[in-house]
Amino acid sequence: EVQLLESGGGLVQPGGSLRLSCAASGFTFSSYAMSWVRQAPGKGLEWVSAIVGSGGNTYYADSVKGRFTVSRDNSKNTLYLQMNSLRAEDTAIYYCAKESGDYGPNHFDYWGQGTLVTVSS
Amino acid sequence: QSVLTQPPSVSGAPGQRVTISCTGSSSNIVARYGVHWYQHLPGTAPKLLIYGNTNRPSGVPDRFSGSKSGTSASLAITGLQAEDEADYHCQSYDSSLSVVFGGGTKLTVL
């Protein structure tokens, strides 16, 4: 059974940093691209970042480029999102999602329950 | 403005059929990359409902079906049930191969 469990969310001041983690199990982690997707209060889903199975290629939405860094540790079956220079508009539930393949275009066949990030003073 | 446009809300009575549309702002998005659909109940993990316009993952009831016509895709739900009340999101890719979502549609079962 595929399981994705996010952690690391919380309250942070504007300009601060936070590191999210996503522990994966139930599939060959290194064989699949992974993504982070967020949902701000009252808004739709927004794709944030993706990383291929080897970790060799990463992709970002324009809204987070230069501030967020996605990485993965295939030996620990864990996906990360380092978020720096956080802004109020980054407030959202952050989901990690398994992609249906390695290089895209893919769909997201499994999602985690999400972790809440609140950016506020 | 989303690259993919969905109606903000739809509703239907139990047993009825509802459809949710997803229209691409560019003529080739839906045609070239296809559309996927997710069901999302607040506070839970989103769930894949339809992939590649028309394909249902195992375990998804056949009450859910997807279709594509030109620049639009649609999700149809027949035999509406109270448990179907949720948000529904379509997803595709833009011309730079970045993932794009529609704005989401809230389904209310009357």
Side-chain angles (χ1 to χ4, degrees), chain A residues 68-82:
Chain A
F68 290 12
T69 302
V70 62
S71 62
R72 62 194 295 161
D73 185 337
N74 287 343
S75 69
K76 295 182 178 179
N77 288 353
T78 302
L79 174 72
Y80 303 100
L81 185 68
Q82 177 66 43

Side-chain angles (χ1 to χ4, degrees), chain A residues 37 39 43-47 95 99 104-109 111-113, chain B residues 33 36 38 40 43-46 48 51 89 91 93 97-99 101 103:
Chain A
V37 176
Q39 186 173 35
K43 303 289 188 181
L45 297 173
E46 179 190 16
W47 172 77
Y95 298 95
E99 299 198 19
N106 298 315
H107 56 273
F108 303 113
D109 51 6
W111 299 65
Q113 299 266 12
Chain B
Y33 303 118
H36 319 297
Y38 304 91
H40 189 202
T44 69
L48 176 67
Y51 65 95
H89 304 269
Q91 177 246 315
Y93 284 79
L97 281 183
S98 290
V99 174
F101 287 95

Side-chain angles (χ1 to χ4, degrees), chain B residues 7-57:
Chain B
S9 64
V10 298
S11 63
Q16 284 189 333
R17 178 181 186 269
V18 296
T19 61
I20 299 172
S21 61
C22 176
T23 303
S25 61
S26 173
S27 61
N28 63 354
I29 289 178
V30 171
R32 179 176 295 183
Y33 303 118
V35 167
H36 319 297
W37 291 93
Y38 304 91
Q39 179 191 58
H40 189 202
L41 283 76
T44 69
K47 174 186 175 183
L48 176 67
L49 272 185
I50 299 288
Y51 65 95
N53 301 317
T54 61
N55 302 290
R56 246 186 341 266

Side-chain angles (χ1 to χ4, degrees), chain A residues 6-57:
Chain A
E6 303 93 339
S7 61
L11 175 63
V12 61
Q13 292 188 338
S17 297
L18 214 53
R19 187 199 199 199
L20 306 184
S21 299
C22 172
S25 61
F27 64 101
T28 306
F29 184 67
S30 60
S31 295
Y32 294 91
M34 298 290 294
S35 275
W36 289 98
V37 176
R38 68 185 180 184
Q39 186 173 35
K43 303 289 188 181
L45 297 173
E46 179 190 16
W47 172 77
V48 172
S49 181
I51 184 169
V52 300
S54 67
N57 292 82

